[in-house]
Amino acid sequence: APAPPVVVDLTAASSSDDDERGPSRKKARAAPRGPTDGPVAVGPWRVSRQGFGTLALGTAYSPGGRPSEADAIQLVRLAAARGVTFFDAADVYCFDASETHYAERLLARALAGGPQVVVSTKGGLKRRGDGTRSNSWHFGYKLAARDVRARVDASRAALGSEHAVIWSLHNVDAWEPRSKEFSEVLEAMRAACDAGAADALGLSNASADHVAVASRALGARLVAVQNEHPRPRGRLAPSVPVLRGDDAGGDATPRTYPSSGDDGCGDATPRTSGVALSFKRGRRSDAAKNHPRSGRYSLYERRAERPAKPHAAKSNKDGVLSECARRGVAFVSFGVFGGLKARQGKRALGVGDAVGALARRTGAASPQDLVLAWLARKNVVALTGARRREHVVDPARVAALSLSDADLRALEAAKPTTTRK
């Protein structure tokens, strides 16, 4: 196995200046670090605790579509200028198959010439149809071992060699963890990494068994697990009013908190508009039946905290957090604000719930900042995203948020609002 690379703290050179021109090339002076504003380890790198995802910059099924390429580049540069040093992409974050690697090429352009960051990309998933529908993902697709090297090479070509690249297998729960075909894919990933096609490797949508098997096969090359695609949890509410002020007759200033998409992408347009939402309980669609069990980690999704179950199904994500910790693998969480269902109006973080009340009491700029501060204490990388400048994550603002032990206990017990149309 290759010698482990030297530990590199990428956050030491990041800037918190809100510079629209792009990432600052000045080395920032080191500041005293608290329990949530220091870097988090992802393999040999030390990166920001909040990452920036590009799903909503590449796909077009979000309300309002995706931003222009020029606007998307400015959003990425703003995130980097604010100190984000972990960026996420995938070869299929695009409109359709005709522009595969769109998000990767976009990141390469946006981050060119800036401070060193880590780019985590994914391959091995297919799209069906165009990018205007959220069910265009072919989750049952299995990448053949013989095609792995070509996928890794194509992502590296799109991203370039300026920044460290983690290549992750995208839809891991399509494979049985102990199957021969999964073992062969892992061997191909290892060979590609050893050949320099990627700097490190990862998994996405992995169970605890997948992590254990991959860790034995890949060794120190396996540095991250990124999980996604939840089922809704939390209490059902037939109506969700738009939050205004403190909801208790205090500050009368209208306040709209952003909802979020598949990788935490903000969208300030409220889906509820203060109108009650009706819902019907019926048969689940085929897409819902085939949806992997949640591997996300958020206030909505806590399965990853549970103990692993013996002989669990390949899609079961119980115990992933503890398995990652045991193996020294970083956990990267998608959908930390409610995921796609938040953007569809089926989830409304901070609207009429304990999370919103706690955000106002602690002085948080938004419930989203409160959730990010909570996740920072969990020592995971929380992926966020944005289609508008006002929703680009600000790690310094999150780190400045002071939460008491009582605040954290209240947040742990909170049940964010869930609605169903």
Side-chain angles (χ1 to χ4, degrees), residues 183-239:
S183 176
E184 291 173 346
V185 169
L186 293 176
E187 289 177 9
M189 291 171 59
R190 175 173 175 152
C193 185
D194 288 350
D199 297 297
L201 299 171
L203 305 175
S204 183
N205 288 345
S207 69
D209 279 348
H210 287 117
V211 176
V213 171
S215 181
R216 289 192 290 268
L218 302 177
R221 302 167 187 80
L222 180 66
V223 301
V225 168
Q226 301 180 40
N227 279 357
E228 53 187 346
H229 303 307
R231 286 179 179 173
R233 294 172 63 87
R235 63 183 176 85
L236 287 173
S239 63

Side-chain angles (χ1 to χ4, degrees), residues 367-416:
Q368 283 73 19
D369 278 5
L370 188 67
V371 169
L372 293 177
W374 169 68
L375 286 170
R377 285 163 172 78
K378 299 289 185 179
N379 214 34
V380 304
V381 178
L383 277 182
T384 68
R387 293 183 294 122
R388 303 177 185 180
R389 288 180 56 86
E390 59 266 30
H391 299 151
V392 174
V393 65
D394 188 343
R397 188 178 69 201
V398 174
L401 185 58
S402 178
L403 298 178
S404 67
D405 290 342
D407 293 334
L408 290 173
R409 287 193 297 270
L411 195 55
E412 288 275 353
K415 291 184 178 181

Side-chain angles (χ1 to χ4, degrees), residues 243 245-247 255 257 299 349-373 401-403 407-408 410-411 414:
L243 181 64
D246 62 1
D247 275 352
R255 195 185 294 182
Y257 292 135
L299 289 179
L349 180 68
V351 178
D353 59 22
V355 183
L358 186 60
R360 295 186 293 277
R361 183 164 62 82
T362 57
S366 70
Q368 283 73 19
D369 278 5
L370 188 67
V371 169
L372 293 177
L401 185 58
S402 178
L403 298 178
D407 293 334
L408 290 173
L411 195 55

Side-chain angles (χ1 to χ4, degrees), residues 109-354:
R109 288 186 57 191
L111 298 171
Q116 289 295 298
V117 302
V118 171
V119 177
S120 179
T121 194
K122 301 179 288 295
L125 187 59
K126 270 190 172 183
R127 297 287 294 280
R128 296 180 292 195
D130 62 39
T132 60
R133 297 177 61 85
S134 60
N135 63 354
S136 62
W137 308 97
H138 186 182
F139 292 118
Y141 174 75
K142 294 182 180 179
L143 180 67
R146 64 178 179 274
D147 296 327
V148 168
R149 179 60 188 272
R151 290 289 190 98
V152 181
D153 284 343
S155 287
R156 171 65 92 174
L159 288 166
S161 57
E162 186 173 350
H163 301 284
V165 171
I166 301 170
W167 191 89
S168 296
L169 186 62
H170 204 158
N171 56 323
V172 173
D173 52 11
W175 285 270
E176 291 289 347
R178 291 173 175 78
S179 65
K180 180 181 178 181
E181 57 183 351
F182 184 54
S183 176
E184 291 173 346
V185 169
L186 293 176
E187 289 177 9
M189 291 171 59
R190 175 173 175 152
C193 185
D194 288 350
D199 297 297
L201 299 171
L203 305 175
S204 183
N205 288 345
S207 69
D209 279 348
H210 287 117
V211 176
V213 171
S215 181
R216 289 192 290 268
L218 302 177
R221 302 167 187 80
L222 180 66
V223 301
V225 168
Q226 301 180 40
N227 279 357
E228 53 187 346
H229 303 307
R231 286 179 179 173
R233 294 172 63 87
R235 63 183 176 85
L236 287 173
S239 63
V240 180
V242 176
L243 181 64
R244 296 186 180 278
D246 62 1
D247 275 352
D251 179 10
T253 304
R255 195 185 294 182
T256 301
Y257 292 135
S259 60
S260 57
D262 285 42
D263 58 348
C265 303
D267 178 4
T269 306
R271 294 285 158 259
T272 57
S273 302
V275 179
L277 302 177
S278 61
F279 58 87
K280 297 180 179 179
R281 296 185 182 274
R283 292 186 305 170
R284 289 187 298 153
S285 65
D286 290 339
K289 292 176 183 177
N290 295 326
H291 228 215
R293 285 183 179 270
S294 172
R296 297 190 187 203
Y297 187 51
S298 70
L299 289 179
Y300 286 97
E301 304 294 342
R302 306 291 289 274
R303 295 190 66 95
E305 289 181 338
R306 301 179 185 179
K309 295 179 179 179
H311 313 298
K314 62 182 180 179
S315 60
N316 188 292
K317 304 303 191 300
D318 293 354
V320 175
L321 270 178
S322 60
E323 189 64 33
C324 285
R326 191 164 75 90
R327 303 283 179 176
V329 176
F331 189 88
V332 182
S333 183
F334 282 57
V336 296
F337 305 140
L340 175 63
K341 291 186 180 298
R343 198 180 306 173
Q344 293 173 333
K346 298 176 182 179
R347 289 177 175 171
L349 180 68
V351 178
D353 59 22

